[in-house]
Amino acid sequence: MLILGIESSCDETGLALYDTEQGLLSHALHSQIDMHAEYGGVVPELASRDHIRRALPLTRHVLAQAGKTLQDLDGIAYTQGPGLSGALLVGTSIAEALAFSLNLPTIGVHHLEGHLLAPLLEANPPDFPFVALLVSGGHTQLMRVSAIGDYELLGDTLDDAAGEAFDKTAKLLGLSYPGGPAISRIASTGTAGAYQLPRPMLNSGDLNFSFSGLKTAVLTLVNQQGDQLNEQIKADIAYEFQEAVTEVLTKKCMAALRNTGLDQLIVSGGVGANARLRERLNSATKRRHCHVHYPRLEFCTDNGAMIAFAGAMRMQHASTSDHSFTVRPRWDLAELQAP
Ligand code: KG4
Ligand code: ZN
């Protein structure tokens, strides 16, 4: 079964072709980061318009790359939510219009299910069940994943998501958007121990997170510096901020493995690209004889491959072909059911 996947929930247009026998055949991405950078964040209307410009050329590109034509497709998967409604509408309406003209079935994919399953696109994927840490710009969740569609929430953030904390902290330090890569870059020249930031909820006894206090603590540090705030101080604060977030994430992942009795962890979402987080998780899981799996770096952030893959997994069981559609800008992952 050959599935075209379309991702357009936020600021990346991602297209991919996944074949249930041969695996991922091709993928392509257009990131709008440069377009939104001057505004310091995603401008929804600009995002929607750019998805319109990119989706069809990228579709032609992934088909050509794989030596396929539209006639070879068996179905189309698209991100139905959660995300920006206008941006979701672009991918959704293109997917349904293409499918209508080609008489193909479609499936609306949950964006977070895409992230969650992205590590399964790699070699030696883990078997179910496993613990998943989903760390993106909008989510910080720990889940027990027993099968596709069988997701038990173990812990969640009470306020900001980890990626959001990176983005807001970067803004406070005058760094570029998106904040995660920018913080990680300058943290590499930071000095250990120059500043002390809290480790929120490290010993809360549950698997929940809270990151908004950390951002406030950074704000206080920045204000204390006044005109003295220079590149080295910024790097020192970024270093300590990254230490605080990655320590909490790592400790809670290990607690989730311990509580569930499982020995496999997968990490997905944009913050999963963070090198310090990977370093900490690699050594913590090794110490406990557990295994950790990540998507390749380019599939940590938004992409079409994860949508084509999640869509293909579900389409083997169910799909629709009436081509009526609706987007779901707010959509709780817990509402999903096994296909
Ligand atoms: O998964 P994603 O592309 O989009 C959402 O669905 O939210 O994640 C984007 C988030 C942003 O907050 C970005 O700052 C963060 O992931 N991010 C990182 C890194 N790369 C991206 N955070 C920390 N370190 C990174 N290297
Ligand atoms: Zn995402």
Side-chain angles (χ1 to χ4, degrees):
M1 211 157 89
L2 182 66
I3 307 298
L4 174 72
I6 307 180
E7 155 63 29
S8 75
S9 65
C10 189
D11 57 349
E12 257 120 15
T13 321
L15 269 294
L17 281 178
Y18 183 84
D19 184 287
T20 47
E21 251 117 69
Q22 297 171 55
L24 186 66
L25 299 187
S26 58
H27 61 95
L29 186 87
H30 176 78
S31 169
Q32 305 175 355
I33 282 178
D34 291 346
M35 186 177 78
H36 298 293
E38 64 175 297
Y39 305 98
V42 179
V43 183
E45 183 60 21
L46 294 183
S48 310
R49 291 176 192 210
D50 201 58
H51 287 306
I52 295 173
R53 278 193 290 273
R54 309 292 173 181
L56 289 177
L58 286 176
T59 302
R60 283 192 280 273
H61 182 78
V62 292
L63 285 167
Q65 223 182 358
K68 302 284 183 190
T69 68
L70 285 173
Q71 281 62 39
D72 294 321
L73 296 178
D74 297 305
I76 302 183
Y78 58 88
T79 305
Q80 192 179 9
L84 302 170
S85 54
L88 289 166
L89 267 172
V90 176
T92 300
S93 49
I94 287 174
E96 291 294 356
L98 261 182
F100 177 68
S101 70
L102 296 164
N103 199 20
L104 290 175
T106 57
I107 188 146
V109 172
H110 194 295
H111 180 80
L112 296 183
E113 179 167 70
H115 275 302
L116 205 59
L117 301 179
L120 305 188
L121 279 163
E122 304 306 325
N124 307 316
D127 292 324
F128 296 111
F130 49 76
V131 169
L133 171 70
L134 188 61
V135 264
S136 68
H139 294 82
T140 306
Q141 297 184 330
L142 273 163
M143 265 165 290
R144 180 196 160 96
V145 179
S146 303
I148 287 172
D150 188 349
Y151 310 129
E152 183 196 345
L153 187 66
L154 303 172
D156 203 347
T157 178
L158 305 180
D159 40 57
D160 292 354
E164 192 179 356
F166 268 97
D167 294 336
K168 288 178 174 170
T169 297
K171 224 174 200 172
L172 292 174
L173 295 176
L175 305 175
S176 59
Y177 155 88
I183 294 251
S184 156
R185 214 166 21 247
I186 68 160
S188 64
T189 57
T191 319
Y195 295 98
Q196 275 289 312
L197 286 171
R199 277 28 178 183
M201 304 200 43
L202 190 65
N203 300 310
S204 61
D206 57 22
L207 297 174
N208 291 328
F209 304 91
S210 164
F211 293 110
S212 79
L214 201 47
K215 171 197 66 195
T216 313
V218 170
L219 177 64
T220 308
L221 269 185
V222 168
N223 286 342
Q224 280 167 0
Q225 308 307 315
D227 314 340
Q228 308 297 310
L229 186 68
N230 58 30
E231 293 310 306
Q232 187 57 49
I233 295 177
K234 285 185 189 177
D236 294 346
I237 296 175
Y239 178 95
E240 174 62 9
F241 170 81
Q242 182 172 261
E243 286 303 298
V245 174
T246 55
E247 183 179 344
V248 174
L249 290 174
T250 304
K251 285 262 167 69
K252 300 263 172 171
C253 282
M254 298 318 291
L257 287 169
R258 208 167 43 240
N259 293 0
T260 54
L262 298 176
D263 64 357
Q264 298 188 100
L265 172 71
I266 67 119
V267 181
S268 57
V271 184
N274 186 274
R276 180 65 178 134
L277 178 64
R278 288 185 175 212
E279 189 181 25
R280 278 186 184 272
L281 287 172
N282 289 344
S283 62
T285 48
K286 199 170 164 198
R287 236 179 291 128
R288 296 262 191 84
H289 306 290
C290 295
H291 301 278
V292 58
H293 302 259
Y294 311 94
R296 69 194 80 168
L297 282 180
E298 61 186 321
F299 293 166
C300 280
T301 43
D302 293 348
N303 64 87
M306 66 185 196
I307 301 303
F309 178 71
M313 294 300 105
R314 285 189 169 269
M315 210 178 252
Q316 289 172 312
H317 303 278
S319 60
T320 59
S321 12
D322 69 355
H323 306 300
S324 62
F325 61 83
T326 165
V327 293
R328 305 187 68 175
R330 288 175 182 275
W331 187 4
D332 192 343
L333 190 66
E335 287 173 33
L336 291 190
Q337 291 182 349

